[in-house]
Amino acid sequence: MENKERMLEETELELAEQEWNEVVSQEMAGYLQQENGESIGENPVEQEKPRFVIDSDAKADWAVRKIEEEKQEYDRIKELAEEQIARIEQKLEAADRRFCQSTAYLRSLLGEYFMQVPHKRTKTQETYRLLSGKLVMKLPKAKTVYDEAELIEFLKANGYNDYIKKEEKAWWGEFKKLLDLSNGQVAVLKDTGEMVECIRITETPAEFKVEV
């Protein structure tokens, strides 16, 4: 008897879930149309239908399962996309290697020719124009690289203290302990009650999540 009742309950729940799915799918379609700024034709019959409401654990659990199904589908598509992206990147790298290898000889010959002809020179490059393109020689430029800690030690040791930045920064973690942050939007010193107007308190809005 108990098995029959349980089977009946499960059947009823399955039918109810099918109905919920149809109703929510219709409502979601309308919601998406509104989000996209599309006009929705008025249907008096549909307006009479009550809006789907989650008012029981059964409905809430069904909604969570629907979200989990969508997440699984998203994860599947994401994994597929990442695999295709990896393949495309491999093909692009192979094409780049082929391009470099197939043009290396011609580029070397053009480089030799470039050194034989007069060309225009600027501070950063030398160029020689042709009808189909331009030959360019980028001139070398110096790049300064230094170790910050070692440079500071050098400046200190040689009397160049004026070239060392003296950065002032609040010790916020300790100063925060002196403040009362519960009085609206301005911080107040606990001991004196003085308002520290340079500190503003902003409240992060509540965020609802469904974890699946």
Side-chain angles (χ1 to χ4, degrees):
M1 189 68 178
E2 291 181 0
N3 291 337
K4 289 184 178 180
E5 291 179 354
R6 189 180 300 111
M7 291 177 61
L8 182 60
E9 290 177 356
E10 292 176 354
T11 301
E12 291 176 350
L13 181 59
E14 289 177 0
L15 293 173
E17 289 181 353
Q18 291 177 5
E19 182 180 350
W20 299 341
N21 188 62
E22 292 177 2
V23 173
V24 170
S25 296
Q26 293 175 359
E27 292 182 359
M28 181 59 70
Y31 172 79
L32 293 175
Q33 284 183 320
Q34 289 180 335
E35 285 290 298
N36 294 329
E38 300 176 9
S39 60
I40 303 174
E42 294 185 1
N43 189 330
V45 176
E46 290 184 358
Q47 289 181 351
E48 293 176 359
K49 292 182 179 179
R51 188 175 69 89
F52 179 80
V53 177
I54 295 178
D55 51 11
S56 67
D57 283 353
K59 286 185 176 180
D61 189 72
W62 169 82
V64 171
R65 282 188 280 115
K66 290 293 293 182
I67 293 174
E68 184 178 12
E69 289 175 7
E70 292 296 333
K71 185 176 184 303
Q72 289 176 353
E73 178 65 8
Y74 164 76
D75 290 340
R76 185 185 70 81
I77 296 298
K78 181 182 178 183
E79 183 179 357
L80 180 62
E82 289 174 347
E83 290 175 355
Q84 291 188 9
I85 290 171
R87 286 198 295 269
I88 291 171
E89 288 178 344
Q90 290 175 357
K91 290 181 179 180
L92 182 59
E93 290 175 2
D96 181 64
R97 287 194 300 271
R98 285 195 301 271
F99 167 74
C100 292
Q101 293 169 358
S102 62
T103 60
Y105 180 62
L106 288 176
R107 282 186 283 115
S108 67
L109 294 179
L110 286 170
E112 293 175 4
Y113 177 71
F114 179 81
M115 301 305 294
Q116 300 170 15
V117 295
H119 36 265
K120 185 177 180 181
R121 181 185 179 100
T122 65
K123 290 182 179 181
T124 59
Q125 64 183 20
E126 297 178 0
T127 59
Y128 184 74
R129 290 185 178 276
L130 298 167
L131 287 176
S132 300
K134 183 169 61 173
L135 306 181
V136 180
M137 173 72 74
K138 295 286 186 180
L139 298 177
K141 56 183 179 180
K143 182 179 180 182
T144 305
V145 181
Y146 63 89
D147 182 276
E148 183 75 25
E150 291 180 359
L151 179 58
I152 289 175
E153 287 300 319
F154 173 85
L155 294 173
K156 287 180 178 179
N158 292 275
Y160 293 104
N161 293 323
D162 291 341
Y163 294 91
I164 301 175
K165 289 183 179 180
K166 298 176 177 63
E167 183 180 3
E168 294 184 357
K169 197 171 183 179
W171 196 357
W172 172 247
E174 292 300 313
F175 182 65
K176 185 178 179 181
K177 298 176 183 178
L178 307 179
L179 301 175
D180 180 0
L181 304 175
S182 63
N183 297 321
Q185 297 182 340
V186 180
V188 177
L189 287 169
K190 294 178 182 178
D191 293 342
T192 64
E194 180 183 355
M195 296 173 61
V196 186
E197 296 185 357
C198 61
I199 300 175
R200 295 288 183 270
I201 302 171
T202 58
E203 188 173 284
T204 303
E207 182 182 7
F208 176 75
K209 290 185 176 181
V210 178
E211 297 183 357
V212 295

